[in-house]
Amino acid sequence: HFSNASRLPSINDYNEKAIVYARPLLKYMLTPLEKSGFVEDQTSYKALKLAIENDMEELKSLLAEDKYKIESSKYNSLLSQEAPYKAIQNIPKNDGELVFLGTGSAIPSKYRNVTGHFINFYERGSLFLDTGEGSLAQLYRVYGEQKTNSLLLNLKIIWISHMHADHHMGITSILMKRHEIYPNAEPVIVIGPSPLEDYLKEYSLISPQLSFLTKKIVFIDCEWIKFNDNIIQPTKVIALKNVEEQMGIKLSTVRVYHCSMAYGIILDSKHYRFVFSGDTRPTNSIMSIPNVDVLFHEATFEHDLVDQAIAKKHSTTDEAIQVALKQQSTCICILSHFSQRYFKLPAMSTELVDPTQLTVGTAFDLAKIPLSR
C-alpha cells in the first residue's frame, strides 16, 4: 500500500535481504514445500505495466480536450455538451464551478470513482457533496497540489447524503489533510444523517490522527434544515447560517427513498437553484421542489434493469429523466452514480427528451460545469 511517489520507501534500518516489496502479480507459493517461495511472472507484469501506461496516455489525451465527447451518435443529440453551458451563460463570473470527483456507484472502476462532488465558490469558500473514498485524491488530480491545499483552507461545508460507505468514506482523509496543513483553520460545517456524528466521534477516539476531529467540525443534522419545515432549529445551526451568508447560498434538505435517513439537498444562490438527489428511487420530495434550474439526479441502472433499481432503491436513466420532466420549471438534468457494470455510459431512451424542453447531460469524473459561463 505504497504512496504513489516515484521511488519506494527507504528500508535502511532493516536487513535488505529480509524485505520483499509487494508488486502486482507477485505470488508466494505455499505448497509443495520444496517449491515454496516468491514467484513472479515477468511477462504478465510487463504486459500489465504496458496496459497501465497506455491507459494513462488515453486519459491524458481525453483530459486535454475541451470537453468530453460521446462516441456513439445515438447520444449526440440527447447528451449535448454545449446546451448546459448556453443555459448558464448569464450567471455571474463569481458563482463558481461544479466538479465531478466520482460519478460511479459502489466501488471504483477504470473510468469512475465512487460518489463525490465539489463546488468551488472561489474566494467565498467551497463545499463537498458526498465524499466517497478517493475524493481527496481526485481533487488533487483536478487542481494540483498547491491549488488543492488552498481550497482545503477555504473549505466551509461537507454534506453527506446517507451512511453508505461509497458516499462518506473519504471524509476523514479530507479533514485529516486539512488539519495537517492548517492546524489552526476554522472548523468545517459537516451536514449529514445523525449516525454520521457518532461515526466521526468514534473514529476520533480510536485513531490518534483524528483526535482533533470533534474540535474542528460543527455537526448539523440533515433533519434540522429540512426544506419548508418550520421546526425549532438548535443553536448550532447559527454557525451554518453565518457560513451560508459568507458564501451567498442557502442549503436545505429533503428526505429521499433509499435507505434509512437518506437525503437530497437543495442549494439556493441568488441566481439559480441546484438540487442533488443523492441515492433514491423517483420520489415526490424531489419532483415537488419548485423553480429548479439544475437537477443532479442519480441514474444507477439502465431501464432494462428497472426490477433491480426497485429492489435496491435506485433510479434508472429513464426514470431520472422523467423526474426532470415533472419539474415545475425547465431545468438542466445531469445524470450520475452509474453502476460500474457500464463501461462508459448506460443506455437510455432518446425519445423521452425534447431538446427544446429539457437538456440532459451525463457526469464524468474530473469534468467541471463552470457556473461562470
Side-chain angles (χ1 to χ4, degrees):
H1 195 264
F2 301 121
S3 161
N4 285 320
S6 57
R7 62 180 182 81
L8 288 168
S10 172
I11 52 172
N12 295 333
D13 296 336
Y14 301 93
N15 178 359
E16 185 80 34
K17 294 181 180 179
I19 300 294
V20 176
Y21 286 113
R23 295 183 294 276
L25 306 185
L26 179 66
K27 303 175 185 177
Y28 187 86
M29 298 289 291
L30 295 172
T31 58
L33 291 177
E34 61 270 17
K35 293 185 179 181
S36 65
F38 288 98
V39 180
E40 185 172 56
D41 184 344
Q42 287 292 332
T43 303
S44 298
Y45 179 70
K46 289 177 181 177
L48 175 65
K49 184 178 178 182
L50 180 62
I52 293 172
E53 289 172 350
N54 290 339
D55 285 346
M56 290 304 298
E57 289 303 315
E58 178 186 347
L59 182 59
K60 286 177 183 177
S61 63
L62 186 63
L63 295 177
E65 299 178 9
D66 289 337
K67 47 189 173 290
Y68 290 101
K69 296 179 180 178
I70 308 302
E71 296 176 352
S72 171
S73 59
K74 174 181 178 182
Y75 297 107
N76 283 347
S77 60
L78 177 61
L79 304 177
S80 165
Q81 296 295 304
E82 290 296 336
Y85 295 143
K86 291 178 181 177
I88 59 178
Q89 62 186 354
N90 294 323
I91 293 176
K93 292 184 178 180
N94 64 346
D95 250 23
E97 61 187 2
L98 169 64
V99 185
F100 306 119
L101 303 177
T103 58
S105 66
I107 58 173
S109 71
K110 176 180 175 181
Y111 289 99
R112 299 185 187 276
N113 191 39
V114 291
T115 302
H117 310 291
F118 184 78
I119 302 182
N120 180 15
F121 292 105
Y122 308 122
E123 70 279 358
R124 292 182 290 142
S126 58
L127 64 88
F128 280 95
L129 300 176
D130 278 337
T131 57
E133 189 173 6
S135 292
L136 178 61
Q138 292 286 75
L139 199 66
Y140 276 106
R141 291 184 180 99
V142 173
Y143 289 108
E145 182 177 9
Q146 185 175 354
K147 178 65 175 176
T148 298
N149 290 346
S150 67
L151 289 171
L152 290 176
L153 175 62
N154 212 20
L155 176 64
K156 305 294 186 185
I157 299 170
I158 299 175
W159 177 80
I160 303 297
S161 62
H162 62 290
M163 289 303 294
H164 284 168
D166 58 322
H167 290 256
H168 75 79
M169 284 293 287
I171 188 172
T172 51
S173 299
I174 293 166
L175 294 172
M176 194 185 308
K177 186 66 177 179
R178 185 176 188 265
H179 182 71
E180 175 189 321
I181 305 172
Y182 309 108
N184 298 317
E186 291 292 317
V188 174
I189 304 287
V190 175
I191 308 171
S194 56
L196 179 64
E197 183 178 23
D198 297 331
Y199 167 81
L200 293 173
K201 283 180 179 178
E202 187 168 348
Y203 214 121
S204 70
L205 293 174
I206 64 175
S207 173
Q209 294 173 299
L210 284 169
S211 58
F212 68 90
L213 195 57
T214 53
K215 298 178 182 178
K216 286 298 182 179
I217 66 169
V218 177
F219 184 80
I220 305 293
D221 192 320
C222 283
E223 284 292 310
W224 300 345
I225 57 169
K226 285 173 69 177
F227 183 63
N228 284 344
D229 195 335
N230 296 319
I231 65 166
I232 299 174
Q233 297 176 325
T235 54
K236 287 185 5 178
V237 177
I238 295 173
L240 173 61
K241 292 186 180 298
N242 291 337
V243 169
E244 289 176 333
E245 187 175 346
Q246 294 172 25
M247 299 176 72
I249 62 173
K250 184 180 186 306
L251 301 177
S252 49
T253 62
V254 293
R255 280 285 190 115
V256 295
Y257 183 54
H258 182 53
C259 62
S260 175
M261 288 181 280
Y263 297 86
I265 191 167
I266 304 166
L267 187 156
D268 286 311
S269 97
K270 183 178 179 181
H271 305 285
Y272 58 88
R273 169 169 282 178
F274 174 91
V275 175
F276 176 38
S277 71
D279 284 11
T280 184
R281 289 288 298 147
T283 175
N284 189 58
S285 63
I286 296 291
M287 288 183 278
S288 62
I289 300 170
N291 305 317
V292 177
D293 297 295
V294 180
L295 175 62
F296 189 19
H297 203 286
E298 77 116 289
T300 307
F301 297 99
E302 61 186 28
H303 202 65
D304 286 349
L305 297 179
V306 66
D307 289 345
Q308 288 199 39
I310 293 170
K312 297 179 180 180
K313 297 184 175 66
H314 284 293
S315 300
T316 69
T317 50
D318 289 12
E319 287 175 329
I321 293 170
Q322 288 167 347
V323 170
L325 289 170
K326 291 177 181 177
Q327 292 296 321
Q328 299 173 18
S329 58
T330 303
C331 68
I332 300 165
C333 178
I334 305 171
L335 306 181
S336 186
H337 197 266
F338 303 114
S339 167
Q340 303 291 18
R341 59 168 50 81
Y342 306 117
F343 182 58
K344 289 187 179 179
L345 280 174
M348 60 191 77
S349 303
T350 55
E351 65 271 11
L352 279 176
V353 179
D354 179 352
T356 63
Q357 294 182 346
L358 178 68
T359 297
V360 179
T362 54
F364 286 87
D365 282 25
L366 312 185
K368 304 176 185 177
I369 292 182
L371 299 180
S372 59
R373 295 183 60 178

